[in-house]
Amino acid sequence: EKGGYASFMLKEIADQPRAVADTLLGRIDGEGSLHLDEVRIPDADLREVDKVVIVACGTAFHAGMIAKYAIEHWTRLPCETELASEFRYRDPILDQRTLVVAISQSGETMDTLMALRHAREQGAKVLAICNTNGSTIPRESDAVLYTHAGPEVAVASTKAFLTQLVACYLVALYLGQLRGTKWGDEIRTVVRQLSAVPGEVERVLETMEPVRELARSLAHHDTVLFLGRHVGYPVALEGALKLKELAYMHAEGFAAGELKHGPIALVEKGLPVVVIAPSPRGRSVLHDKIVSNIQEIRARGARTIVVAEEGDQAVVPYADHLITVPATPTLLQPLVATVPLQVFACELATARGNEVDQPRNLAKSVTVE
Ligand code: M6R
């Protein structure tokens, strides 16, 4: 069943180009327009939406954090992303014009289910992004957009995450298309760029041997930190979550701008710090700031592991280890930047003798609140 791979997790990591391609399939036409006919919320209702709220847990929550950037940028609608387990306890402000997006691989996560029930009670429309046909979350939602990752067996979520991102981008672009925001041309360009992602993920997968080697060399460490800004911040959180659940290491993700507000005190000689560098093209301000963060931590002795776009020369002098990913538009970068972090965590956990498909204390779907 593992198709020659040592674990389901490795098989699922390798399956990502196919999973991303299948999730895009039939949803984009040759003109670069989106068709989400399966989403059974009438376009007229979607045009009325004045706020989007995303609820999810764990890895799906990280996909939702990234979706917030995409939705706000492409639709100019306010969007919040909240942990499903916190959502209903703060009595959130929702009404008929709120679109709640519930993201769940399994479709059975109790925290997410309770959040969506609460949202529907308040009159909000709920759209599920889900990987499991006919599961409880899509059944109880107004509409569903399925991810086509295929069955995900390993407890650590990998291909579900990438496909959740794709589904979130599709929702964001579709809302943008419906609303006819001034980003029309940009939307068409991004739609085309999304189609290139499966090939880019494939390329990342082909260059992972140095990442595996690096992971093995860090097996004796106790702590690894992850830093990112903008959409790189949720990627940092996701890299840290993978390492916690698989390698049982202290791993934390920070927004790079927060470093100076506390976390930099953790940096000591030899501490591995993974930094996700945004593209040097486009928003170069963000890039410049990350470069100075890398300099700061390196000056304090950190061993810097930098995930950067191919051809990014500015990070080279400060990267003890450089992991390059293909150039993508900033908002899409998580689709390629997360992949090396999955491989890194899987290899590090294996080097520590852990069972990667079944980490201790965890279940694939969490059906209790
Ligand atoms: O099935 P769901 O997507 O609702 O699951 C949510 C989380 O429990 C899940 O993503 C969890 O964090 C993973 N084990 C992370 O790898």
Side-chain angles (χ1 to χ4, degrees), residues 57-60 103-107 109 112 155-157 164 238 241-242 245 363-366:
C57 306
T59 288
I103 311 174
S104 174
Q105 188 286 128
S106 62
T109 301
T112 311
V155 165
S157 191
Q164 284 160 355
E238 176 59 9
L241 177 61
K242 289 285 100 91
E245 66 177 338
K364 181 63 182 161
S365 66
V366 184

Side-chain angles (χ1 to χ4, degrees), residues 109-326:
T109 301
M110 189 55 76
D111 289 312
T112 311
L113 181 61
M114 296 312 272
L116 84 82
R117 282 185 184 158
H118 182 80
R120 292 195 77 196
E121 277 161 22
Q122 312 300 305
K125 289 260 178 301
V126 177
L127 168 65
I129 289 180
C130 184
N131 195 45
T132 313
N133 263 304
S135 54
T136 312
I137 287 172
R139 275 205 322 270
E140 293 206 16
S141 300
D142 294 286
V144 55
L145 185 64
Y146 281 109
T147 49
H148 296 305
E152 193 181 63
V153 177
V155 165
S157 191
T158 54
K159 61 177 181 171
F161 177 70
L162 256 58
T163 59
Q164 284 160 355
L165 285 178
V166 170
C168 288
Y169 292 131
L170 292 175
V171 168
L173 293 165
Y174 189 67
L175 289 174
Q177 180 175 292
L178 274 184
R179 292 166 55 79
T181 44
K182 61 182 165 145
W183 307 101
D185 285 344
E186 184 181 347
I187 290 172
R188 272 185 290 280
T189 312
V190 177
V191 159
R192 271 195 298 277
Q193 282 156 334
L194 267 176
S195 315
V197 168
E200 282 158 1
V201 173
E202 192 76 66
R203 271 215 287 138
V204 174
L205 290 169
E206 283 161 9
T207 58
M208 286 298 94
E209 196 40 48
V211 173
R212 285 190 202 101
E213 210 172 288
L214 169 66
R216 291 192 290 271
S217 78
L218 298 176
H220 60 283
H221 278 263
D222 302 319
T223 302
V224 180
L225 302 185
F226 292 76
L227 297 178
R229 295 188 87 100
H230 191 258
V231 292
Y233 169 43
V235 172
L237 295 178
E238 176 59 9
L241 177 61
K242 289 285 100 91
L243 209 54
K244 279 176 201 146
E245 66 177 338
L246 296 167
Y248 317 148
M249 287 167 85
H250 170 225
E252 265 195 272
F254 297 108
E258 277 292 293
L259 256 191
K260 57 188 175 301
H261 300 290
I264 199 162
L266 291 168
V267 177
E268 55 187 14
K269 202 166 177 324
L271 177 78
V273 183
V274 179
V275 186
I276 324 301
S279 165
R281 301 162 301 118
R283 290 162 195 248
S284 53
V285 193
L286 277 182
H287 183 265
D288 294 350
K289 294 218 161 102
I290 270 278
V291 174
S292 48
N293 290 143
I294 304 172
Q295 284 172 288
E296 278 157 14
I297 55 171
R298 199 156 184 265
R300 287 163 181 80
R303 182 165 164 189
T304 56
I305 302 162
V306 182
V307 179
E309 190 173 296
E310 282 162 357
D312 182 347
Q313 292 304 321
V315 297
V316 173
Y318 314 109
D320 293 312
H321 305 273
L322 182 64
I323 302 171
T324 57
V325 291

Side-chain angles (χ1 to χ4, degrees), residues 74 169 190 193-194 197 231 328-337:
W74 288 326
Y169 292 131
V190 177
Q193 282 156 334
L194 267 176
V197 168
V231 292
T328 50
T330 305
L331 283 168
L332 303 188
Q333 198 203 28
L335 288 168
V336 288

